Amino acid sequence: MDAITRMRCFIQVVDSNGFSAAAREMGRSKALVSKYVGELEDELGVRLLNRTTRQVSLTEVGEAYYKEAAEILQRIDDLQASVQSSHQEVRGRLRVSAPRSMGDDMLNKAMMHFLTRYPDVNLDLRLEDRFVDLVEEGFDLAVRVTQLEDSSLIARKIAPFRTIVCASPEVVERYGAPNVPADLSTRPCIIDTNYRYKQNWAFQSEGERLSVAVKGPLEVNSAAAAREAALAHLGFLRTPLFFVADDVKTGDLVPLLETFEEPMRGIYAVYPHRRHLSAKVRALVDFLVEWTAKNPAG
């Protein structure tokens, strides 16, 4: 167990970016954590961390060791969890990646209710607009608006997903409602750079896909900021329907070009292939499916 303890201390130091923070997280003294990491380096005969008075950083060999050690400890934790309870209690640290725009809206409420139902789970929710490598970066689960392309991953559809072009009534009155997607090329558009095609908005007409180049007064990598811009009458917006569903219901934003939208896609829970899926991951996936069914995205 000493070897595992040393390994856990090393992982925690890296995750916490320092010995003091790691000691607080583990409920141990800084001296003891430093001692364990030093013993691990002595045992391996290599330096895993570069230390300065202000920070620590991984050496090249330390980076490789960290990735392997994190995976080993995860397997140990999963094994212990499955053996300790025939019902596989839902507990432990759960690392989840999701797009920022989804976290700003629909995921926040869902995750808080999940933690209320499963108080023994420690959630590490990372909201960032990039496709993380689940295995390489140590994530248990990612929520993605996409089709599954990586055969090494498993995906379960959580909910349907669609985008919408919309604008405030003031903008529609000022510039006129577009009759076809090409009309947007001559109107001010708010560009959310998180959107896959950025300044080229994709539509469908009579079964054929078409793209329209748009421009406007604002480019921003935040769905929340883009929504505020639309409500401030700055232009036409392309955004996930769930993000502006309430605004559409109140009439603050008007849906446009609905017959030209591409077929509805899906929001997926994506996780690595594992022989025994941990109870915490299974519980979260089931919960998200249940939550989105009760709280449809627009």
Side-chain angles (χ1 to χ4, degrees):
M1 286 300 294
D2 284 345
I4 294 177
T5 300
R6 295 180 189 125
M7 191 181 295
R8 287 193 188 278
C9 284
F10 166 72
I11 294 295
Q12 190 63 60
V13 169
V14 176
D15 288 344
S16 303
N17 198 31
F19 286 86
S20 297
R24 288 192 298 270
E25 189 71 20
M26 301 184 73
R28 300 175 182 267
S29 69
K30 178 182 177 182
L32 185 59
V33 172
S34 180
K35 174 177 179 289
Y36 280 143
V37 174
E39 288 176 350
L40 178 62
E41 290 179 319
D42 290 342
E43 182 179 356
L44 296 172
V46 296
R47 179 171 290 278
L48 301 173
L49 295 170
N50 293 315
R51 301 164 175 81
T52 67
T53 56
R54 294 188 176 182
Q55 64 180 10
V56 297
S57 62
L58 287 166
T59 62
E60 183 176 354
V61 68
E63 185 171 355
Y65 183 84
Y66 171 82
K67 293 175 182 177
E68 293 294 331
E71 180 66 20
I72 290 171
L73 289 178
Q74 183 63 60
R75 290 178 181 175
I76 292 173
D77 290 342
D78 288 347
L79 176 62
Q80 289 179 334
S82 64
V83 171
Q84 287 172 348
S85 173
S86 59
H87 298 290
Q88 288 191 303
E89 295 179 6
V90 180
R91 62 172 62 246
R93 188 165 182 255
L94 186 59
R95 296 195 74 213
V96 179
S97 171
R100 186 180 292 112
S101 58
M102 291 186 66
D104 286 341
D105 191 69
M106 67 178 296
L107 270 186
N108 276 344
K109 292 180 181 179
M111 290 301 188
M112 300 315 113
H113 281 77
F114 174 76
L115 290 177
T116 300
R117 180 180 294 185
Y118 299 105
D120 291 328
V121 171
N122 298 314
L123 179 65
D124 180 0
L125 177 60
R126 302 298 176 95
L127 302 175
E128 48 190 336
D129 298 303
R130 67 182 181 90
F131 270 28
V132 301
D133 185 318
L134 271 66
V135 176
E136 191 76 11
E137 300 180 51
F139 283 97
D140 298 292
L141 179 79
V143 178
R144 293 176 177 171
V145 182
T146 183
Q147 293 286 354
L148 185 65
E149 297 177 355
D150 188 341
S151 61
S152 68
L153 302 175
I154 302 172
R156 181 177 174 187
K157 190 173 183 178
I158 296 174
F161 171 86
R162 59 176 288 205
T163 56
I164 183 176
V165 173
C166 59
S168 68
E170 290 83 351
V171 167
V172 174
E173 182 178 357
R174 187 184 313 158
Y175 297 100
N179 295 311
V180 294
D183 291 341
L184 291 171
S185 63
T186 60
R187 289 167 168 77
C189 293
I190 300 159
I191 299 168
D192 182 354
T193 56
N194 292 321
Y195 180 60
R196 181 177 180 182
Y197 300 105
K198 298 181 172 62
Q199 294 93 344
N200 294 287
W201 291 359
F203 297 91
Q204 181 172 279
S205 178
E206 297 181 351
E208 294 186 4
R209 192 172 182 278
L210 56 92
S211 178
V212 178
V214 298
K215 59 183 178 180
L218 176 67
E219 293 186 19
V220 62
N221 66 337
S222 165
R227 170 180 170 271
E228 289 300 323
L231 292 171
H233 322 306
L234 294 182
F236 297 82
L237 173 65
R238 185 72 174 280
T239 192
L241 174 58
F242 69 77
F243 208 72
V244 294
D246 290 340
D247 303 312
V248 170
K249 289 176 182 177
T250 59
D252 292 324
L253 294 176
V254 179
L256 303 161
L257 299 172
E258 293 182 274
T259 59
F260 293 94
E261 286 293 345
E262 292 185 298
M264 192 176 293
R265 293 181 289 168
I267 300 172
Y268 291 87
V270 183
Y271 46 94
H273 275 287
R274 282 184 181 166
R275 184 177 179 184
H276 301 291
L277 185 63
S278 66
K280 59 189 177 184
V281 173
R282 184 182 298 107
L284 178 56
V285 174
D286 290 342
F287 180 86
L288 289 176
V289 172
E290 173 191 330
W291 171 268
T292 53
K294 294 179 179 178
N295 302 272

